[in-house]
Amino acid sequence: MFKQIAFMNKTIIVSNRLPLQVSIQEDSLEISPSVGGLATGMKSVHTEGNGIWVGWSGIPEGALHAELSEKANQRIREEKCVSVPLTNDDIEEYYEGFSNRALWPLFHYFMEYTEFEKQEWEAYRRVNEKFAKVVLEHLEDGDTVWVHDYQLLLLPQLIKQEKPNTTIGFFLHIPFPSYEIFRTFPWRKEMLKGMLGADLLGFHTYDYERHFLSSVKRILRLDVNFNNISYHDRIIKVDSFPMGIDYDKFYRAAVEHNSKPKEKSELQKRLEEHTLEDKKLILSIDRMDYTKGIPNRIKAFEYFLDTFPEYKEKVRLVMLAVPSRSNVPQYQKLKRETDELVGRINGKFATVSWTPIWYFYRSLPFDDLIDLYISSDIALITPIRDGMNLVAKEYVATRTKGNGVLILSEMAGASQEMNEALLINPNSFEDFANSLKRALTMPLKEQQKRMKFLQKRLKRYNVEKWAKEFLKSLEEAKQPKNAFVVKKLTSAYEKEIVGQFHQKKKRLLLLDYDGTLVGFKANPQDAEPDQELFDLLDRLQSQENTRVVLISGRDKETFQRWFGDKEYTLVTDHGVWLYQDRNWTALERLKNDWMESIRPILETFVDRTPGTFIESKNYSLAWHYRTADPELAKSRTIELNTVLTSMVANNGLSILKGNKVIEIKSSNVSKGRATNQLLVQDDYDFITVIGDDWTDEYMFEEVPNWATSIKVGFTKTKAKYQIESPEKVRQLLQKFLEN
Ligand code: GDG
């Protein structure tokens, strides 16, 4: 039995494209595995046990006749892959449309290229649902799912809602933009919630991680603790995992190319000619994408030749631009611009024996790629924005002799871990020109020293290690070791409590108000009781031998106005006042002259923190920051706490940190003391106490062991049980009324 369960657990990898190429000639079908970085990194995960890969095969639905299509699927399955059927419309709207005309430019800070089309957004959702359907068909209990990249941002949530116990990881291969960019996105909330279906979210760099967390805090207003997000009853981990390359593969290929004479390709012959001419070769390789900074690089190269004319006829830029997304207009425009620029600059500088730029618009076989890498003295990798950039890493891996210089844009994620490269701002032509000059004159010793450092890191943190680290972290995210255990009120416990309620003879219900019976509003005065709540409480109070107590930090006047004509007992101001038999009595005798010195301090905080305000009560002052910027509020609360701590100690005051509120009140007032005074009034044999706030913990502590204490929300608590929301509290109370 055990064996079988262990055997069944598998990892399902999901990405837009499957790691294979399907090619069809007439009626014959060829399937070859693709050799990209991701496929290599995931290889062991994919081939282990029952692992499968879910994605699109590259062939639109209906493109093949039934028989061939079945044959293709059969072959795809043999590769442990499952294809998601996509129509031509899906590809046009979800892939070329929403993914590449909205998300790609937005996440790379190209706002002027970003198109927000509702129809394409809907297609994106629809296709994410298609992916979810296929994943769910293959998902078994205990399986792990690893979702990749920006085409599938909604998928984690779509899986989680159907199978909450599945462990889900998500990795974003492109940058996550700053909040100021991301906030412009019309469907920002849905998008973030989609991602939060995952248990672990991975990014290439700490900056992307930071940007993501900042959007989560500001847009969804969720609590973030270091890199953990509290979301419903889950803790979601966010971390950075810089993707590596298959280092050994590139290194070995380079060693082979350097040693073995073989049939020479056209490219190789030209590269050799070039070496004979004793010109230095500068290489750039990118997909033809506007994020890669191709036109800028050409213009900067012109600037370099103008600034340092002694390098004319001494250097050559070899530029490989791989065709990409050529159906999207901006890519067509980029292609035209590049062609024109290369033409103009070659025209401007060329001599009979020298063309400054060799430009290839095509993809090359792997062997030719290696030849390019090993023949180049300098790699000039200068994207305007790039999630990571693997080309930079591949260049380093092929420098088996340790020579060569990498010039790398600071805007590539890779720059974060490649400090020994010459890092430049790709928008500065001076940076370009000076770094090129520096690279061209760099002593061999220095080149080797820098390469050695770079290689050491890339070899160790290769793509396989990257995948392993991610999965290890995902495994930990599944059962957070140090996190507290949520004690969710299950339906079985609920039944038990309701059963007891009906049996017992002296019943006490101690209920907090805000966040327990009603949800939070931006302004506390707006959180008035509604008719449904009055009806519920009235009916509870009218049960025989039942006492309903509302116990709150609210002031006496507000509760008098709301509940003055009711039979329930009221405790206000955190336990200062008691309203019983329609009579107010003071539980504590208090002074409030301290307020004069504290209020001006709070006022300075209000002035400097937009969205915050002071609530003055009879015996306390509260500073509310629910609608303030969460990051600013966080630093202000620390500051306020420091300022207040020195003042309150000698005045018999204490500081309460509530739910988005800091309250200053007399030390000998607490809901706990008030609870005690109520408990001695009768011989209760049934007690249920419910609260959401930190201050309610005092009540949970005071009630006898056998009482039922319930915390609203899933943060740490002394209560016995936890429940989701005020709606759920009302549903529970409603059950007390049903026989
Ligand atoms: C995205 C993110 C992130 C290129 N031309 C040829 C060829 N290549 C190979 C390279 C390299 C890969 O393609 C390109 O990878 P990059 O990382 O440079 O860029 P993107 O395609 O934009 O990838 C990027 C990456 O995802 C991974 O997370 O680093 O930031 O944008 O491996 O070698 N391979 C062959 N012929 C070519 O002509 N065989």
Side-chain angles (χ1 to χ4, degrees), residues 104 108 173-174 204 243 250 285 287 292 320 322 362-366 369 373 386-391 394:
W104 178 271
H108 286 89
H173 288 262
I174 66 174
H204 280 307
M243 187 173 170
F250 283 88
I285 297 183
R287 271 188 310 101
K292 305 285 183 183
L320 174 65
V322 181
R362 70 176 96 134
S363 75
L364 293 177
F366 181 73
L369 198 73
Y373 282 145
D386 210 337
M388 171 53 72
N389 195 300
L390 300 179
V391 172
E394 291 166 6

Side-chain angles (χ1 to χ4, degrees), residues 29 56 149 168 218 250 254 316 320 368 388 394 567 700:
L29 188 90
W56 183 49
D149 228 359
I168 305 172
R218 287 154 186 248
F250 283 88
R316 175 169 286 143
L320 174 65
D368 282 354
M388 171 53 72
E394 291 166 6
E567 296 300 322
F700 301 150

Side-chain angles (χ1 to χ4, degrees), residues 152-183:
L152 300 173
L153 293 169
L154 300 175
L155 186 58
Q157 174 59 20
L158 292 169
I159 300 170
K160 192 61 119 190
Q161 74 194 21
E162 295 303 317
K163 294 266 183 173
N165 293 330
T166 310
T167 308
I168 305 172
F170 178 87
F171 189 83
L172 186 69
H173 288 262
I174 66 174
F176 194 92
S178 90
Y179 163 72
E180 287 300 335
I181 295 281
F182 186 74
R183 70 192 297 205

